[in-house]
Amino acid sequence: MRLPRSLTLRLALAAGLWVTAGLSAAGWFLTGVAVHHVEAAFDARLMGLLDGAVAAVGADETGRVVVTRAPAGADFDRPLSGAYWQVTGPDGALATSRSLWDQSLPPASADHEGVLIRDARGPRGEPLRVAERDVLLPDAGAPVHVAVALSRAATEAEVQRLRAVLLAVVVVLGLGLVTGLAVTVVAGLAPLRRLRRALAEMRAGTRQRLDITGPSEIAPVVAEIDALLAANRATVDRARTHVGNLAHALKTPLAVLRNALESSQPDLAAARAEAAALERLVQHHLARARAAARLAIAAPTVSPLVVAEEVATALRRLLGDRAIVIDVTGDREASVAVDAQDLTEMLGNLMENGCTWATSKVQVRVATEGESVTASVADDGPGLPERDRTTALQRGARLDERTPGSGLGLAIAADLAALHGGSLDLTRSAEGGLCAMLRLPRRGAIVSA
């Protein structure tokens, strides 16, 4: 069976089937109960007439069976009225009501004891209900058979009317319930239709947010869709910003490179320097683009302490003969909702910078502070004057040209932290060197877009 695609039609169809099945069963049960009561009342009346007929049976001086009086409660004197009585003596002689005229009631098909109630056909072929029994009169040697019959036509007509009335009630009630359920389903799904129209308007560019009210079951969906659309819009805006920044940053190095190569005496050293600058710019913007793209995807739980330990292990191998101690301690349970690669890049840049300038020791501390997780990277090197700390976070800034590097490590870490709702601050360490304080939102904290 192929269901309709419309949820409204599905719910209305299911409700209609259940209502039809329920009301049909209820109507069948109620009709059966009502018919049983009507037939029971009819049989009770028939038994009353039989008792009256039995009470009226007697015998005359000759022993002949006679009926002293007609049973009350039925038209036994009008010919073929539909109400009949008949008494059969031991010798087979019949005493009948005037309503039977010259007819007699059909005999029972089998012997019986006690009262027998059966259906038969009357003198005019009408359906009869017959109640009969054998009665032993005083001083009589054999029993007398007494039978009373009533036409079932009126009762059957009443049963038919009752069934028609119950059917009409069930049909009207069913139509009313189905209509009410259909209206309820249509009204209940109205928020979904409003949501569909709002989404169509957003796709057409006529509105920026869904911003519709709905029941508690729909409101979270609307809020999540709004949040998803806002995140996608922010991702697109960041991508446009990155492309614009990259284009703006490449203009000057490309012009210098072209001039260095197109002059009568090409300056290869300057060309190499500009090519290296171009490479640094491209790497910087690629890193930011990757981080911005990953923000639209739910990040797993990452422990900064675990990532710092992994980075420390890798740096110890790279340091070689340099006696730099990398000490990593802190809260192992602290976690952040940041992509593991981004966190590795941030801590790696900070710890590599610390190892580059440290004299003998780099300390990494991870702690939880309210709704944030902090990771501080402190070294015992020469430090950085306060006036140069802002410059050090700018892309491509190198305060000491004698030290190898691209000057992008701190800038990339700062940019990644900002993209994830965090920050990077540079201060003086307890040993007099530089302390880079990375602050990221704790897992589960609300980050403002």
Side-chain angles (χ1 to χ4, degrees):
M1 181 178 179
R2 187 172 184 179
L3 294 176
R5 298 185 62 183
S6 171
L7 185 58
T8 302
L9 290 179
R10 289 187 182 185
L11 293 177
L13 180 60
L17 291 177
W18 278 112
V19 168
T20 301
L23 288 181
S24 298
W28 174 81
F29 175 76
L30 292 176
T31 300
V33 171
V35 170
H36 173 74
H37 280 291
V38 170
E39 292 180 345
F42 183 81
D43 289 346
R45 180 190 176 199
L46 189 62
M47 287 296 299
L49 293 176
L50 178 62
D51 292 340
V54 169
V57 173
D60 57 11
E61 297 81 359
T62 63
R64 182 171 173 268
V65 177
V66 296
V67 177
T68 58
R69 64 182 182 279
D75 192 2
F76 291 111
D77 292 332
R78 184 168 57 87
L80 305 177
S81 63
Y84 314 106
W85 60 263
Q86 177 177 288
V87 178
T88 304
D91 56 354
L94 295 176
T96 61
S97 62
R98 294 184 61 185
S99 57
L100 271 174
W101 200 247
D102 59 350
Q103 304 290 322
S104 62
L105 296 176
S109 59
D111 295 335
H112 62 90
E113 294 181 359
V115 178
L116 174 65
I117 299 180
R118 58 187 175 90
D119 293 326
R121 289 290 174 179
R124 295 184 299 176
E126 74 273 25
L128 296 178
R129 188 73 165 165
V130 181
E132 53 191 339
R133 61 178 295 187
D134 292 332
V135 179
L136 184 61
L137 298 175
D139 301 330
V144 176
H145 188 77
V146 181
V148 174
L150 289 177
S151 174
R152 290 176 51 90
T155 302
E156 291 182 353
E158 183 179 355
V159 169
Q160 292 299 325
R161 287 195 300 273
L162 179 62
R163 286 176 174 167
V165 170
L166 287 176
L167 179 61
V169 170
V170 168
V171 170
V172 172
L173 181 60
L175 291 176
L177 288 176
V178 171
T179 302
L181 288 172
V183 171
T184 302
V185 169
V186 172
L189 295 179
L192 291 180
R193 290 191 291 274
R194 291 200 301 270
L195 178 60
R196 183 190 63 186
R197 290 194 295 269
L199 288 172
E201 292 173 1
M202 290 193 67
R203 182 165 55 86
T206 58
R207 66 188 303 169
Q208 297 299 317
R209 289 176 53 85
L210 293 178
D211 197 20
I212 60 176
T213 58
S216 58
E217 293 82 4
I218 302 299
V221 177
V222 174
E224 291 297 330
I225 292 177
D226 271 336
L228 178 62
L229 293 174
N232 290 340
R233 193 179 300 113
T235 300
V236 172
D237 292 339
R238 282 193 294 266
R240 291 173 178 170
T241 302
H242 294 159
V243 172
N245 291 340
L246 179 60
H248 179 75
L250 291 178
K251 287 169 59 178
T252 301
L254 285 175
V256 174
L257 181 61
R258 184 183 301 110
N259 292 334
L261 295 177
E262 291 179 353
S263 64
S264 57
Q265 294 181 349
D267 189 350
L268 297 181
R272 292 191 188 95
E274 293 304 321
L278 288 174
E279 183 180 2
R280 289 196 299 271
L281 287 172
V282 171
Q283 290 177 354
H284 172 68
H285 284 278
L286 284 177
R288 292 198 61 178
R290 287 195 301 268
R294 284 194 292 267
L295 286 179
I297 305 174
T301 300
V302 182
S303 171
L305 185 63
V306 174
V307 173
E309 291 174 345
E310 294 174 353
V311 172
T313 301
L315 288 176
R316 292 187 187 103
R317 297 192 187 100
L318 294 176
L319 291 175
D321 297 335
R322 290 191 62 193
I324 302 297
V325 177
I326 304 176
D327 183 21
V328 180
T329 59
D331 184 4
R332 190 171 295 274
E333 300 298 326
S335 60
V336 293
V338 177
D339 185 84
Q341 182 177 347
D342 289 347
L343 185 58
T344 301
E345 189 166 1
M346 286 185 279
L347 290 177
N349 287 334
L350 297 180
M351 294 171 66
E352 183 180 3
N353 183 78
C355 291
T356 301
W357 296 100
T359 302
S360 61
K361 186 176 183 181
V362 174
Q363 293 181 330
V364 181
R365 298 289 183 270
V366 177
T368 301
E369 297 180 2
E371 296 297 317
S372 301
V373 174
T374 61
S376 62
V377 180
D379 61 69
D380 58 354
L384 189 63
E386 186 175 356
R387 64 179 181 274
D388 295 332
R389 292 171 188 170
T390 303
T391 305
L393 296 178
Q394 297 175 357
R395 61 190 181 194
R398 298 184 61 193
L399 302 179
D400 189 348
E401 296 293 339
R402 295 172 299 174
T403 304
S406 63
L408 291 174
L410 293 178
I412 290 176
D415 288 342
L416 289 175
L419 287 173
H420 287 284
S423 63
L424 176 63
D425 298 317
L426 301 181
T427 60
R428 181 182 178 84
S429 68
E431 290 80 8
L434 181 67
C435 177
M437 178 67 71
L438 177 64
R439 190 179 305 273
L440 295 170
R442 181 177 55 83
R443 178 70 177 182
I446 299 176
V447 181
S448 58

